[in-house]
Amino acid sequence: MVHSDPNLSSTASDDDYATRQSSVSAYDPNRLSGEGSPMMMSPWNQASPFTKSQNSQIDTNISQNGLIGSLVREEGHIYSLAATGDLLYTGSDSKNIRVWKNMKEFSAFKSNSGLVKAIIISGEKIFTGHQDGKVRVWKVNQKNPSNHKRIGTLPTFFHILKCSIKPSNYVEVKRNKSSIWIKHCDAISCLSIDEGQGLLYSASWDRTFKVWRVENSKCVESVKSHDDAVNSVVVTGDGMVFTGSADGTVKVWKREGHGKSIKHEFVQTLLKQECAVTALALSGSGTVLYCGSSDGLVNFWEREKQLSHGGVLKGHKLAVLCLAAAGNMMFSGSADKTICVWRREGTVHSCISVLTGHTGPVKCLAVEKDQESTAGDQRWTVYSGSLDKSVKVWSVSEMLPENADWASIPSGRY
């Protein structure tokens, strides 16, 4: 059982973390994408000879925090997940986006762009971010929910054509290379949406994040936000935007204006370190911002305290690759093949469980409330996608494990 220390410095000694070396190469102004990134150079990014198994394997003997089953489709590493109700969407380095329901494959729809880096759901629409730098928009057929139709691409062909006419719309994206500002010129890494304002945010390895108006598919702003790939973007309902990058920084932005005059102003840098920032997530209440890094640490900040640094969570031996949060829980997936389950009480976080079973790095996470949970036992269904080509489904309780021995931890902190 481990806890966070709100007073712990985010700087760890070399002796403490000899195995947590950053794999991020020095900044190269001409390098786009992840040409030397830990994930691209990883042996897990190669073809994998795992044994085939059934589409779903269900374990009926569920412990307090345990595996419900595995969804396996031998067609590529799992890079993105999104869950809504009883449906799970999975994206991989194949051209298929698969939809699962009740542990069985429900539907699939095909994109011609290959690797699916991000999936986000908003009402009847599904937005997918791709390696080719485009966002594709899909809609569920109400009469036949298993049918998904592509209804658009961001940016649209019309907007590209219109924007291409004016020379002032071109920006330098690489030495001796320019492109129109509404296009991402490298892979999309993350998507986030402000449903109240109807704005979609896309982060990219081209070091920018872009803002799209959902109703008309227009790009309303492009922000050159970092000195290296932007790995994560998170937007809040009150117009705050957080970005995390391979340049080792977490930055805060504030949305100003309305309608056509939207502009994002830089507010502050929350973190500046040598190792890459790989993932960001907001707590279920939106009051805590979490940041995962390639050194295996998770930093967090408290929004109710003017974004003061709350502490560092140490639960992984290798890079944190993904984060997800719901209720009082936060989940961190890592290259060490595990998922740490953290429960927050005030500013103190307790690692109440470590989920093991993947044979490759855990690349993406999604969480949904268990509809069968009770007030006395709040439970969550956690989905984890891995470079072992599988998605695992877990049942996790907010209750402390029955065998927790708090007396053996004198201070409750380290």
Side-chain angles (χ1 to χ4, degrees):
M1 195 70 58
V2 283
H3 297 264
S4 65
D5 183 351
N7 300 313
L8 183 65
S9 167
S10 60
T11 304
S13 69
D14 291 337
D15 293 334
D16 287 340
Y17 297 102
T19 61
R20 290 176 174 163
Q21 298 298 318
S22 170
S23 302
V24 181
S25 58
Y27 168 59
D28 175 359
N30 291 313
R31 177 172 67 80
L32 295 174
S33 82
E35 295 164 359
S37 71
M39 294 312 303
M40 295 302 291
M41 297 170 64
S42 167
W44 293 102
N45 206 27
Q46 314 305 319
S48 182
F50 291 107
T51 56
K52 293 187 177 182
S53 57
Q54 300 298 320
N55 279 358
S56 62
Q57 303 159 348
I58 302 177
D59 181 4
T60 54
N61 299 315
I62 302 171
S63 60
Q64 187 162 5
N65 290 333
L67 182 67
I68 299 174
S70 297
L71 311 176
V72 181
R73 187 84 189 212
E74 290 287 325
E75 63 176 9
H77 306 116
I78 308 298
Y79 281 92
S80 52
L81 294 172
T84 176
D86 58 355
L87 295 179
L88 173 71
Y89 291 78
T90 61
S92 69
D93 49 13
S94 74
K95 294 182 179 180
N96 296 312
I97 299 154
R98 299 203 173 272
V99 189
W100 306 82
K101 184 176 183 179
N102 300 325
M103 300 291 294
K104 295 180 181 179
E105 188 171 342
F106 177 66
S107 176
F109 48 103
K110 191 172 185 177
S111 168
N112 294 323
S113 63
L115 202 152
V116 184
K117 300 279 290 181
I119 306 174
I120 195 166
I121 303 166
S122 177
E124 297 177 358
K125 291 182 179 179
I126 298 98
F127 300 90
T128 54
H130 298 263
Q131 183 83 23
D132 65 1
K134 294 179 181 178
V135 177
R136 288 167 174 82
V137 190
W138 314 78
K139 191 172 183 180
V140 180
N141 187 319
Q142 289 302 300
K143 293 182 179 179
N144 182 10
S146 65
N147 186 14
H148 294 74
K149 182 181 180 181
R150 196 174 93 183
I151 59 172
T153 301
L154 308 180
T156 66
F157 178 75
F158 173 76
H159 290 145
I160 292 173
L161 196 63
K162 186 178 179 181
C163 192
S164 300
I165 297 171
K166 292 180 66 176
S168 61
N169 286 328
Y170 286 80
V171 294
E172 187 177 10
V173 295
K174 199 175 181 180
R175 191 175 297 167
N176 300 323
K177 183 180 178 181
S178 61
S179 176
I180 54 175
W181 67 271
I182 65 172
K183 285 178 63 176
H184 281 300
C185 60
D186 211 329
I188 288 174
S189 56
C190 184
L191 296 172
S192 185
I193 194 164
D194 183 340
E195 294 191 271
Q197 296 295 318
L199 297 174
L200 177 73
Y201 290 73
S202 58
S204 170
W205 287 353
D206 67 8
R207 306 166 197 163
T208 72
F209 72 85
K210 298 189 191 298
V211 190
W212 310 83
R213 191 169 297 287
V214 173
E215 64 179 2
N216 59 14
S217 302
K218 278 190 175 182
C219 183
V220 296
E221 189 184 8
S222 177
V223 181
K224 172 68 169 65
S225 50
H226 290 274
D227 293 329
D228 207 334
V230 185
N231 289 326
S232 189
V233 60
V234 174
V235 59
T236 68
D238 58 357
M240 299 297 291
V241 179
F242 303 96
T243 54
S245 169
D247 66 11
T249 64
V250 175
K251 293 184 179 181
V252 186
W253 311 80
K254 175 67 176 175
R255 185 174 65 235
E256 304 286 355
H258 298 281
K260 294 182 180 180
S261 61
I262 285 177
K263 188 173 178 63
H264 289 76
E265 299 288 348
F266 172 72
V267 177
Q268 63 174 308
T269 299
L270 290 180
L271 182 67
K272 192 172 183 179
Q273 60 185 19
E274 289 188 9
C275 55
V277 173
T278 53
L280 298 175
L282 282 170
S283 63
S285 61
T287 57
V288 180
L289 175 70
Y290 297 98
C291 158
S293 302
S294 62
D295 59 1
L297 301 179
V298 177
N299 283 269
F300 67 96
W301 295 264
E302 298 170 80
R303 294 189 66 208
E304 293 177 334
K305 297 181 180 179
Q306 289 74 51
L307 286 169
S308 62
H309 188 247
V312 182
L313 311 181
K314 300 191 293 184
H316 294 287
K317 297 178 180 178
L318 297 175
V320 173
L321 301 179
C322 52
L323 299 171
N328 296 317
M329 309 294 283
M330 192 275 288
F331 307 88
S332 54
S334 170
D336 66 14
K337 310 173 192 176
T338 70
I339 302 154
C340 282
V341 180
W342 304 89
R343 192 179 80 156
R344 178 173 59 89
E345 293 181 89
T347 59
V348 177
H349 292 70
S350 306
C351 182
I352 63 174
S353 184
V354 178
L355 307 179
T356 60
H358 279 295
T359 57
V362 180
K363 192 69 179 65
C364 47
L365 292 166
V367 189
E368 279 287 295
K369 186 176 181 179
D370 188 332
Q371 298 304 314
E372 297 182 2
S373 62
T374 63
D377 182 17
Q378 174 64 65
R379 304 191 68 86
W380 302 94
T381 300
V382 180
Y383 302 95
S384 57
S386 169
L387 300 191
D388 65 10
K389 301 185 180 181
S390 77
V391 175
K392 293 193 181 296
V393 187
W394 315 82
S395 179
V396 175
S397 171
E398 283 198 12
M399 293 180 66
L400 292 174
E402 295 176 3
N403 59 351
D405 182 11
W406 295 108
S408 65
I409 308 174
S411 66
R413 300 189 176 112
Y414 56 83

